[in-house]
């Protein structure tokens, strides 16, 4: 049973890594410490990825542990395999936040996604793909895609503009949720 759970977790982490291909990324952290916000409470969370085909959570929790907000304005956990270790957030308005996630392998690469915060300690997230923006909109924002479909971004203003454009372009869609965190007491 324990081995099967380990294999399932490894498969889900690989899927999550695959979902980041085609993402918005940078070589330097764009959400600097001075801009980072503390949008959700510290505590004990359960994480479950969501099946992109039907929006249903896969196999229940794939990670569970305490998350804390540190002095350097990052979210961390001492529980191994925290999917979003060292994340920083900045508000996009309302309950929507831009998230910055450092590469899990220690590379100097940062990925960006969106998080929606709800009452009761529920956080859903999605890593938008640059290819989800049409060519004209990417041109307006000043983005170009690399061979893998990702867009390198060099400054916070361009990143905020790109994510705002993505949100505007998808405001009438059911946005695919990649995973959910739930605060448990």
């Amino acid at each position: 049973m324990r081995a099967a759970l380990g294999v399932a977790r490894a498969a889900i982490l690989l899927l999550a890594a695959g979902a980041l291909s085609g993402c918005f990324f940078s070589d330097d952290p764009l959400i600097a410490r001075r801009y980072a916000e503390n949008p959700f409470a510290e505590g004990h969370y359960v994480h479950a990825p969501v099946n992109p085909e039907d929006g249903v959570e896969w196999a229940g929790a794939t990670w569970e542990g305490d998350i804390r907000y540190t002095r350097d304005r990052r979210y961390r956990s001492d529980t191994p395999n925290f999917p979003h270790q060292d994340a920083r957030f900045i508000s996009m308005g309302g309950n929507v936040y831009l998230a910055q996630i450092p590469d899990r392998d220690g590379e100097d690469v940062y990925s960006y996604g969106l998080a929606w915060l709800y009452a009761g300690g529920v956080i859903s997230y999605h890593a938008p793909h640059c290819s989800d923006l049409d060519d004209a909109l990417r041109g307006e924002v000043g983005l170009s895609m690399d061979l893998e479909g990702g867009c390198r971004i060099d400054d916070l203003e361009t990143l905020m503009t790109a994510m705002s454009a993505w949100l505007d372009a998808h405001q009438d869609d059911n946005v695919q949720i990649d995973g959910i965190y739930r605060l448990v007491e």
Side-chain angles (χ1 to χ4, degrees), residues 5-81:
L5 185 57
V7 170
R9 284 184 178 167
I12 287 170
L13 289 174
L14 286 173
L15 284 170
L20 292 178
S21 64
C23 67
F24 296 94
F25 68 96
S26 67
D27 294 327
D28 297 307
L30 301 181
I31 301 176
R33 182 174 188 247
R34 67 178 177 232
Y35 300 125
E37 298 176 34
N38 182 9
F40 63 90
E42 295 180 329
H44 193 83
Y45 283 83
V46 173
H47 172 263
V50 174
N51 184 335
E53 303 272 327
D54 59 15
V56 175
E57 291 179 32
W58 285 352
T62 57
W63 181 87
E64 183 174 346
D66 292 330
I67 300 174
R68 70 187 187 289
Y69 189 68
T70 63
R71 288 181 56 188
D72 65 350
R73 303 183 86 167
R74 297 178 191 273
Y75 285 93
R76 291 199 174 111
S77 178
D78 292 333
T79 304
N81 301 316

Side-chain angles (χ1 to χ4, degrees), residues 78-135:
D78 292 333
T79 304
N81 301 316
F82 175 36
H84 297 97
Q85 188 79 298
D86 292 323
R88 282 187 174 156
F89 293 84
I90 190 169
S91 178
M92 295 286 297
N95 71 327
V96 182
Y97 284 80
L98 174 62
Q100 170 181 279
I101 313 296
D103 180 75
R104 294 185 73 161
D105 296 326
E107 305 265 339
D108 286 335
V109 175
Y110 299 84
S111 299
Y112 297 91
L114 296 168
W116 290 263
L117 279 57
Y118 302 98
V122 176
I123 307 158
S124 63
Y125 64 89
H126 176 65
H129 290 219
C130 186
S131 61
D132 291 341
L133 295 176
D134 65 34
D135 291 337

